[in-house]
């Protein structure tokens, strides 16, 4: 299993590189693109408050996966850019750490307001970069980015540190930043996931070097302007762009970076962990990795809510959220009622133009990624049954060659199938049945991942009993994607190491110092 997952990701990376090198061929837009490329804006890196071109002098293409248009040129950063960014961050960090907490929280709060002011612009950037529906970007991604900043502003301002008194001694807890933190983030929820890290890191007095996904770089760049407008001093937030092995790995490895928070695939996470521990000094590491999350649907569930929840959990963002429920486990007696309802709801999803407010499922993140999902369809044809979906929809105009795929339900699939075991990360769910609670739990836990699970039943006692036995970092009962940012977020097994959120982020992005003195 290990090998096949790594192979999957290796193939994707190679394909991306081919796509980057030969955009016209990969997208079938050779003539149109040739005319457009010269007009395409160049993104800069943000280093020490300045817009900086990559040391390599070379750029990658940021392609809109819905229509193949080149949105911008992405700096192809490397070790030299990372060195400059870490140097700038180091120079700016101490003064920022010495800035009163109230001022740091004011900057976070103001950034939240500016993100809300620029909601439409940011949502458009995100939708174009990723292929996701504009409606989703406007209602999920960008509001959550603002909420990340506002939450940590309030949370950090309200916190107090414990004091311990014993035997005539007083032990105070003081808290300071870690220093310079390196943040590496994926393409599926670009600003949402980046700000989940940036907000607590800055609030706690760290300086940041961010390496956003090369496929979706524009909102990380836009954030630099908003932070500066909010009053963040130059050099406290820096960005380096480019490919993972060329820009991400040197950042993670850099001895000046004291903590690394990474969100992305499990195979990449393993490389990040290796690179982060390869230097002479140990560093803090948080890994938010892949998922293969199960929805457990019991016969005594609220059927309407369960069907709606499974569709939402399976196909929001085209199934490209680590928290998506890609495995649906249904109690056998309910299947004849549940499956036709599920199929009808999935067939009703509107696939197409991400710019259309009515669209439910936009484009996948790239043609290469759609190719990966289609590879799993081939497998499903051989060893399972495709109940619906898996076609390239016929769309007109520029969208005709976009990375679209209709949502897929796979049935008659075995637990050991790669369709069940591997993270597809696209609009594809599998349906299996279980006879009883024990079997449901055995199937749910029978994968290498352990990020989330969802339990659908009206029996609250059963739901909590099942939740206690599920090997995942989070369990949702009769709901999906309900998040309180104070709670622990993270996975077990191959879904990650560590937790972020609330106090867990405070722990990660700061160091507690014990100060001991005699009681007065
Ligand atoms: P990815 O692992 O390919 O890339 C993530 C980031 O890592 C990108 O910025 C990339 O450039 C960088 N990178 C690649 N190789 C690197 C290396 N050797 N060293 C350092 N950095 C490197 O992931 P992706 O395809 O962008 O995103 C999809 C994956 O992310 C899925 O597996 C999904 O489950 C996971 N994800 C997890 C969470 C979570 O919170 N658990 C959230 C969102 C996405």
């Amino acid at each position: 299993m290990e090998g096949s997952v790594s192979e999957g990701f290796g193939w994707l990376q190679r394909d991306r590189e081919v796509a980057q090198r030969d955009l016209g061929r990969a997208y079938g837009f050779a003539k149109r693109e040739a005319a457009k490329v010269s007009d395409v804006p160049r993104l800069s890196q943000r280093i020490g408050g300045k817009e900086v071109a990559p040391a390599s002098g070379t750029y990658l293409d940021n392609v809109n996966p819905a229509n193949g248009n080149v949105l911008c040129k992405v700096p192809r950063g490397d070790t030299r850019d990372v060195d400059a960014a870490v140097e700038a961050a180091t120079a700016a960090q101490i003064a920022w750490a010495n800035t009163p907490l109230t001022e740091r929280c004011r900057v976070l709060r103001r950034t939240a307001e500016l993100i809300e002011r620029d909601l439409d612009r940011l949502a458009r950037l995100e939708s174009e970069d990723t292929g996701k529906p504009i409606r989703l970007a406007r209602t999920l991604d960008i509001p959550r980015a603002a909420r990340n900043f506002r939450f940590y502003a309030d949370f950090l301002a309200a916190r107090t540190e414990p004091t311990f008194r014993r035997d005539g001694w007083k032990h105070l807890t003081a808290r300071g930043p870690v220093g310079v933190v390196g943040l590496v983030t994926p393409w599926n929820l670009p600003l949402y996931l980046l700000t989940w890290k940036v907000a607590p890191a800055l609030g706690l007095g760290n300086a940041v070097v961010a390496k956003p996904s090369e496929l979706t770089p524009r909102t990380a760049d836009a954030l630099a302007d908003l932070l500066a407008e909010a009053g963040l001093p130059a050099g406290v937030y820096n960005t380096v762009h480019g490919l993972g092995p060329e820009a991400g790995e040197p950042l993670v490895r850099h001895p000046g970076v004291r903590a690394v928070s990474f969100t992305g695939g499990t195979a990449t996470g393993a490389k990040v962990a290796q690179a982060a521990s390869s230097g002479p000094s140990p560093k803090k590491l948080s890994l938010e990795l892949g998922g293969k999350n199960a929805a457990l649907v019991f016969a005594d569930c609220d059927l309407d809510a369960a069907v709606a929840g499974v569709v939402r959990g399976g196909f929001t963002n085209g199934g490209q959220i680590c928290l998506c429920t890609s495995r649906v486990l249904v109690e056998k007696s309910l299947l004849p009622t549940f499956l036709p309802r599920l199929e009808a709801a999935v067939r009703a999803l509107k696939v197409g133009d991400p710019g259309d407010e009515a669209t439910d499922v936009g484009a996948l993140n790239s043609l290469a990624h759609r190719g990966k999902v289609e590879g799993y369809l081939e497998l499903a044809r051989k060893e399972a049954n495709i109940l619906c979906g898996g076609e390239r929809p016929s769309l007109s105009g520029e969208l005709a060659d976009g990375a679209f795929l209709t949502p897929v339900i796979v049935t008659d699939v075995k637990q050991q199938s790669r369709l069940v075991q591997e993270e597809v990360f696209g609009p594809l769910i599998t349906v299996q049945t279980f006879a009883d609670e024990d079997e449901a739990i055995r199937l749910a836990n029978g994968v290498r991942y352990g990020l989330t699970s969802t339990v659908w039943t009206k029996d609250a006692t059963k739901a909590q009993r099942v939740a206690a036995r599920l090997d995942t970092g989070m369990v949702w009962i009769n709901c999906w994607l309900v998040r309180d940012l104070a709670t622990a977020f993270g996975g077990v097994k191959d879904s990650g190491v560590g937790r972020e959120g609330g106090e867990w982020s405070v722990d990660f992005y700061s160091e507690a110092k014990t100060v001991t003195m005699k009681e007065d």
Side-chain angles (χ1 to χ4, degrees):
M1 198 53 55
E2 182 76 44
S4 54
V5 170
S6 309
E7 263 172 40
F9 277 91
W11 174 87
L12 180 59
Q13 184 64 37
R14 276 197 308 281
D15 228 57
R16 270 181 196 166
E17 281 162 14
V18 169
Q20 297 285 9
R21 274 203 309 270
D22 189 356
L23 177 81
R25 186 158 58 85
Y27 278 82
F29 286 133
K31 284 194 187 128
R32 221 170 50 225
E33 289 320 324
K36 278 183 187 166
V37 162
S38 57
D39 312 330
V40 171
R42 282 185 167 181
L43 210 63
S44 294
Q45 305 182 105
R46 305 300 187 111
I47 299 179
K50 298 199 174 72
E51 300 196 7
V52 178
S56 69
T58 59
Y59 290 81
L60 305 161
D61 289 319
N62 173 22
V63 176
N64 182 337
N67 55 25
N69 290 339
V70 180
L71 296 161
C72 72
K73 294 289 196 182
V74 190
R76 189 165 178 170
D78 62 25
T79 308
R80 293 165 287 178
D81 305 285
V82 169
D83 287 347
V86 174
E87 195 181 315
T90 307
Q93 192 265 324
I94 304 266
W96 176 242
N98 290 334
T99 302
L101 177 66
T102 46
E103 168 59 10
R104 297 202 303 261
C105 290
R106 187 203 63 74
V107 170
L108 298 193
R109 229 170 259 123
R110 182 68 188 136
T111 306
E113 289 166 7
L114 296 175
I115 290 173
E116 282 161 353
R117 181 197 70 190
D118 289 358
L119 174 78
D120 287 339
R121 179 176 68 92
L122 295 168
R124 184 179 50 75
L125 294 177
E126 212 72 302
S127 170
E128 290 173 349
D129 274 12
T130 60
K132 72 177 67 200
I134 184 80
R135 178 163 50 92
L136 188 67
R138 195 181 298 119
T139 56
L140 177 75
D141 293 73
I142 309 305
R144 169 60 190 273
R147 207 173 134 216
N148 287 336
F149 279 102
R150 189 166 285 119
F151 169 78
Y152 278 107
D154 294 344
F155 188 79
L156 297 178
R159 284 185 77 256
T160 52
E161 297 290 351
T163 298
F164 304 89
R165 294 188 157 85
R166 222 178 305 279
D167 304 329
W169 292 95
K170 183 162 76 172
H171 309 272
L172 308 171
T173 311
R175 196 167 283 278
V178 182
V180 175
V181 301
L183 308 178
V184 181
T185 48
W187 49 257
N188 62 330
L189 300 166
L191 192 63
Y192 173 137
L193 289 172
L194 177 65
T195 54
W196 174 236
K197 301 176 191 302
V198 168
L202 296 183
L204 287 155
N206 301 282
V208 162
V209 179
K211 207 305 276 175
S213 170
E214 62 277 17
L215 301 173
T216 55
R218 290 191 301 168
T219 47
D221 181 66
L223 181 63
D225 290 329
L226 299 183
L227 286 166
E229 189 180 342
L232 188 76
V236 180
Y237 171 84
N238 307 275
T239 58
V240 175
H241 291 286
L243 299 171
E246 293 175 3
E249 206 169 310
L251 173 61
V252 164
R253 199 183 284 280
H254 199 292
V257 170
R258 304 300 311 171
V260 169
S261 177
F262 168 81
T263 299
T266 296
T268 317
K271 287 186 199 158
V272 165
Q274 240 175 7
S277 56
S278 63
S281 317
K283 50 186 75 169
K284 285 179 138 181
L285 184 62
S286 169
L287 300 174
E288 307 279 6
L289 308 177
K292 189 70 184 177
N293 312 305
L296 288 71
V297 184
F298 287 92
D300 59 358
C301 69
D302 173 336
L303 190 60
D304 289 340
V307 169
V310 165
V311 172
R312 210 178 132 242
F315 299 104
T316 297
N317 208 35
Q320 303 167 116
I321 302 182
C322 55
L323 308 170
C324 276
T325 42
S326 51
R327 294 186 294 140
V328 187
L329 309 176
V330 187
E331 193 159 355
K332 217 172 247 165
S333 60
L334 186 67
L335 192 72
T337 326
F338 180 82
L339 197 54
R341 297 275 301 269
L342 179 67
E343 183 184 348
V346 170
R347 284 186 187 276
L349 291 172
K350 186 170 186 302
V351 183
D353 185 357
D356 181 341
E357 291 291 333
T359 294
D360 297 307
V361 178
L364 294 183
N365 187 251
S366 65
L367 289 182
H369 186 50
R370 182 177 67 178
K372 179 196 164 198
V373 177
E374 287 177 334
Y376 284 99
L377 286 173
E378 257 172 58
L379 190 64
R381 277 181 208 108
K382 282 190 205 131
E383 58 182 43
N385 171 52
I386 298 174
L387 185 65
C388 66
E391 296 104 24
R392 298 180 178 186
S394 56
L395 300 168
S396 54
E398 284 198 326
L399 303 177
D401 299 318
F404 296 94
L405 193 70
T406 58
V408 187
I409 303 177
V410 173
T411 58
D412 304 316
V413 60
K414 297 214 162 48
Q415 175 73 7
Q416 63 271 27
S417 166
R418 288 174 49 219
L419 290 153
V420 169
Q421 296 291 331
E422 296 181 4
E423 186 186 44
V424 176
F425 215 59
L428 185 154
I429 59 174
T430 56
V431 178
Q432 296 169 268
T433 58
F434 61 83
D436 55 24
E437 217 173 288
D438 281 347
E439 191 182 15
I441 289 161
R442 187 172 56 73
L443 294 175
N445 288 342
V447 294
R448 61 193 279 243
Y449 295 103
L451 193 53
T452 74
S453 33
T454 310
V455 181
W456 297 94
T457 171
K458 285 187 197 150
D459 180 341
T461 308
K462 175 161 80 180
Q464 286 177 53
R465 188 170 65 227
V466 169
R469 294 176 63 195
L470 288 168
D471 293 338
T472 54
M474 293 159 279
V475 180
W476 280 299
I477 297 174
N478 297 323
C479 62
W480 180 72
L481 206 60
V482 177
R483 293 275 299 117
D484 180 328
L485 303 188
T487 61
F489 179 94
V492 302
K493 303 198 291 191
D494 285 6
S495 287
V497 175
R499 295 287 180 277
E500 296 195 26
E503 278 300 320
W504 290 270
S505 290
V506 172
D507 250 1
F508 183 74
Y509 292 107
S510 68
E511 302 284 7
K513 182 192 292 178
T514 302
V515 180
T516 300
M517 65 185 90
K518 268 274 183 218
E519 285 266 41
D520 297 333

